[in-house]
Amino acid sequence: MASSSGAMQTDVFQMGPGTLSISRADLHRPIQAKVRERCRKLLPEAQHGVMLLKGGGPFNLYSTDMEGIFRQESYFHYLFGVEDEDFYGALDLRDGRTMLFMPRLTEAYAVWMGEIKGPKFYQQLYSVDAVHYADELASVLKSLRPPALHMLHGKNTDSGTTTEEASFKGIEDFSIERDTAFAALTESRVIKTPEELRIMQYANDIASAAHVEVMRKCRPQRMEYHMESTFLGSCYAEGGCRHAPYTPICASGPNCAVLHYGHAGAPNNREIQNGDMMLQDMGCEYYSYDSDITCSFPACGRFTEDQKMVYNAVLDAHISVIAAMEPGVSWPDMHMLAERCILSGLKAAGVVTGDIEEMLEKRIGALFMPHGLGHMLGIDTHDVGGYGPGLPERIDKPGLRSLRTARVLEPGMVITVEPGCYFNPCLLQPALKNAEQAPFLVKERVLSLMDFGGVRLEDDVIVTETGSQSMTNVPRSVRDVEAVMAGAPWPRD
Amino acid sequence: MASSSGAMQTDVFQMGPGTLSISRADLHRPIQAKVRERCRKLLPEAQHGVMLLKGGGPFNLYSTDMEGIFRQESYFHYLFGVEDEDFYGALDLRDGRTMLFMPRLTEAYAVWMGEIKGPKFYQQLYSVDAVHYADELASVLKSLRPPALHMLHGKNTDSGTTTEEASFKGIEDFSIERDTAFAALTESRVIKTPEELRIMQYANDIASAAHVEVMRKCRPQRMEYHMESTFLGSCYAEGGCRHAPYTPICASGPNCAVLHYGHAGAPNNREIQNGDMMLQDMGCEYYSYDSDITCSFPACGRFTEDQKMVYNAVLDAHISVIAAMEPGVSWPDMHMLAERCILSGLKAAGVVTGDIEEMLEKRIGALFMPHGLGHMLGIDTHDVGGYGPGLPERIDKPGLRSLRTARVLEPGMVITVEPGCYFNPCLLQPALKNAEQAPFLVKERVLSLMDFGGVRLEDDVIVTETGSQSMTNVPRSVRDVEAVMAGAPWPRD
């Protein structure tokens, strides 16, 4: 358990009794083999050298003395699973040997941070072939005579931010190569291993149960942030999940239409009203692997007719997409399928009017679902590999341009399925005056729903060899939601 | 309440019903006047210009798409109380006028983050004289014809990190002055206003109640992180406090000797054992103002004789220091007073032996309390102004060199009083072999306590005109701790 106890020197990560036990050897060794294999395919044999990554280090909030809780850099965590600061890690592409380079800590560390562990301890804990000190990087690497050091160099296609390359004194004596590591690691992260899926299933189980607790504790006159506090407390106490992978969105009423509600400027601080819809988009993180789940439900526990109508339109999209997902299917096609379902529901209820295909063509769906259908999920909530060389390009049309990937599905991908339908005055008011769009909108119905907010239903779904499988387990049908909020057991057994 | 509701356009910050209501005018206007006054004293009148600060912006975790929840830069929050990203703020030293410069947001903002508010809205919300757009900085400032722009430029004496100066297109047309703003703002932050103290009292009330809840829920066989989750949940649900100002330290048993236990490499993941002492160092934050409180108690609710002995030695230091604090008293003297109390307690119990004054001289106290007695507290947990030009210098001796300030106390300062006594093998094992130190240590008693862990008792204390006043309200005596853990009400009446 606690590496701090000093007693256990195995390679196991586990937060506490009842939480998931992870063998680092079982998780990271197959990943290292997979990444090595990809690199070897990308490089001529004579250039097979040593991949060198830099782990994360402490960071301060602005100029203050406040350090956030350390979180490992994602690529480094993926390859090595190190939870300590200021490490380097190397993978020799020739023989597959792994090495870590740890900081040389001063005596003060022992007083403030805990007993100083040596290379032998970390070699066992992180299940690598050798551990040296970071100040030995140049000499150890030189002794390996690699034709090149393969450095991580690339840009995240969601944030636009560039990775930080490893650097050390004496680096100028090596040949540096930057085209392989990022491509190989990124593509490897897109396809999850069975052990990665096991962790993500755990993060889904914990977050699913926490969502059920939130549904049961929701009451008008409570504050939105009480939902956040309930969720976070449940994930941590029950699952040992210390971090939320993203800012919890605990919207009520009209706030449900604001896609990233919950940020510092709108910090889940509205009082919940009777008659509100609730939209709760929250996930948890275990061993840096994320879940990302959205539930929508009526604050009082019983749906109104309008709430049922919008909810069922989104649920139809949710179910239809998951049913249609399989290897070979294009993700933008799934986005369009979701739009079709939602528009059909709205049409049946007299909110929109006209030909569905024409609405799709005119991007009427994006007025109600301005975001993408879903994104890849893994160590990052918006996981890497969405766009890149040789992959389908971003489609520059409303709604579709927000897709974080336009890829064709492959077995082992994990992607969120999160169709939504919102009544956002910023989009719908102009549309009601737009000659192209207005004819499809039934004005009085749209106006009557302008304060509705919105509904989003989000599962985390694995693409399997033959179809798809959701890892999320929360009540979804109107009947189940109402029953669980009234106290019925969940899961139903 | 929620600025997101659109309905309330007052200057009030409040998270929810029952949480503290803060008028930004009441809080920030007196602060602005005080800072302006300080600047005017530091500068010749002909050089009185405009102080310009840059607010904080979004930040991503490494190269990922994950943004942390925005937290405002401390100096900017102090002067302007803005909770939104990417603002600039200006204070005209000549007439005291305040201006904010807000980002010009795109339509996408409305869809993802919420309704876009204009300058009028923010002018009321943040109670300033004018709000412009950030792209108007150069033209607005030029129209004011300031002899200089006074920029924030200085180094935090705890983190060693430098503040980030404001910058904008066209800045080269202005005369820039860097010596005044940092000095004036830092020194102003050291002395709290009554309204600041009111917020800090609230943060103390909420955290004190949460500590009591933790004491009541503590049981052997629970995990240390269950204490963290209980505390965080209580502060958020009961007090609307979303952030922990620092990493919660939830140590049990031997971990209590590790001063900053709880970090990512030792994440509060030990199972609590019967017979353990617990050391819980946790605070909360409201409107960016912090509390910072430590409680120590036996895991099972009843002290052993050894636990009582160490606890009472620390409690004696805690009480004696708070009683001795008043304007004019030097903080290092208080540190020495705490050492004297602790060493006296240990001597009476036969753990150390010899002359107390000689022990102080030989720095034996630092073997048991290797950290400083306390630090200034405010918007930062380690608040600014500890060292600086004209102030007493850091004393380079064991224990004392860890003091974050060596100042003489002044009315309006808030400082933590956190004496501690730890049995850390990394310090005591070498000491037992050290010819200078060993004669003061009773070897068999020290060895018998080597697994003890430690005790720390921390209050947040205001220096008043005539003495001091603690804002913290948790059970402190052995009798009160045992009673409260057994279910007695707290506060007592």
Side-chain angles (χ1 to χ4, degrees), chain A residues 253-285:
Chain A
N255 292 338
C256 300
V258 178
L259 305 182
H260 281 178
Y261 182 75
H263 59 88
N268 295 328
N269 63 341
R270 178 177 176 272
E271 190 174 279
I272 299 165
Q273 302 297 313
N274 205 3
D276 279 351
M277 271 304 285
M278 306 291 294
L279 187 159
Q280 310 290 297
D281 185 346
M282 297 188 277
C284 68
E285 181 181 309

Side-chain angles (χ1 to χ4, degrees), chain B residues 298-321:
Chain B
C300 67
R302 304 288 298 179
F303 286 84
T304 65
E305 285 309 306
D306 273 346
Q307 288 172 345
K308 214 178 285 184
M309 176 273 289
V310 178
Y311 187 92
N312 278 330
V314 177
L315 184 59
D316 180 33
H318 183 85
I319 292 169
S320 302
V321 166

Side-chain angles (χ1 to χ4, degrees), chain A residues 1-4 14-17 19 56-57 60-67 69-74 83-84 109-114 156 158-159 161-163 223 225-226 228-229 233 236-237 240 242 244-245 247-248 255 257-271 370-371 380 382 402 404 424 426-427, chain B residues 1-4 14-17 19 56-57 60-67 69-74 83-84 109-114 156 158-159 161-163 223 225-226 228-229 233 236-237 240 242 244-245 247-248 255 257-271 370-371 380 382 402 404 424 426-427:
Chain A
M1 214 104 50
S3 59
S4 49
Q14 188 182 25
M15 271 298 279
T19 67
N60 287 59
L61 194 62
Y62 305 107
S63 67
T64 73
D65 196 39
M66 192 218 162
E67 268 183 30
I69 299 179
F70 172 68
R71 300 173 77 171
Q72 187 54 278
E73 195 280 326
S74 302
E83 282 143 287
D84 293 87
Y109 184 93
V111 174
W112 291 85
M113 307 294 271
N156 186 296
D158 288 310
S159 66
T161 321
T162 303
T163 57
M223 299 295 291
Y225 63 77
H226 289 135
E228 181 178 345
S229 127
Y236 200 4
R242 190 178 205 183
T247 305
N255 292 338
V258 178
L259 305 182
H260 281 178
Y261 182 75
H263 59 88
N268 295 328
N269 63 341
R270 178 177 176 272
E271 190 174 279
H371 61 73
D380 293 355
H382 297 155
S402 295
R404 297 179 193 277
N424 189 327
C426 307
L427 293 171
Chain B
M1 215 105 50
S3 59
S4 50
Q14 189 182 26
M15 271 299 279
T19 66
N60 286 59
L61 194 61
Y62 305 106
S63 66
T64 72
D65 195 38
M66 192 217 161
E67 269 183 30
I69 299 179
F70 172 68
R71 300 172 78 170
Q72 186 55 277
E73 195 280 324
S74 302
E83 283 142 287
D84 292 87
Y109 184 93
V111 173
W112 291 86
M113 307 294 271
N156 185 297
D158 288 309
S159 67
T161 320
T162 304
T163 56
M223 299 296 291
Y225 64 77
H226 289 136
E228 180 178 346
S229 130
Y236 200 4
R242 191 178 204 183
T247 305
N255 293 337
V258 179
L259 304 182
H260 281 177
Y261 183 74
H263 58 89
N268 296 327
N269 63 341
R270 179 178 176 272
E271 191 173 279
H371 61 73
D380 292 355
H382 298 154
S402 294
R404 296 178 193 279
N424 189 327
C426 307
L427 292 171

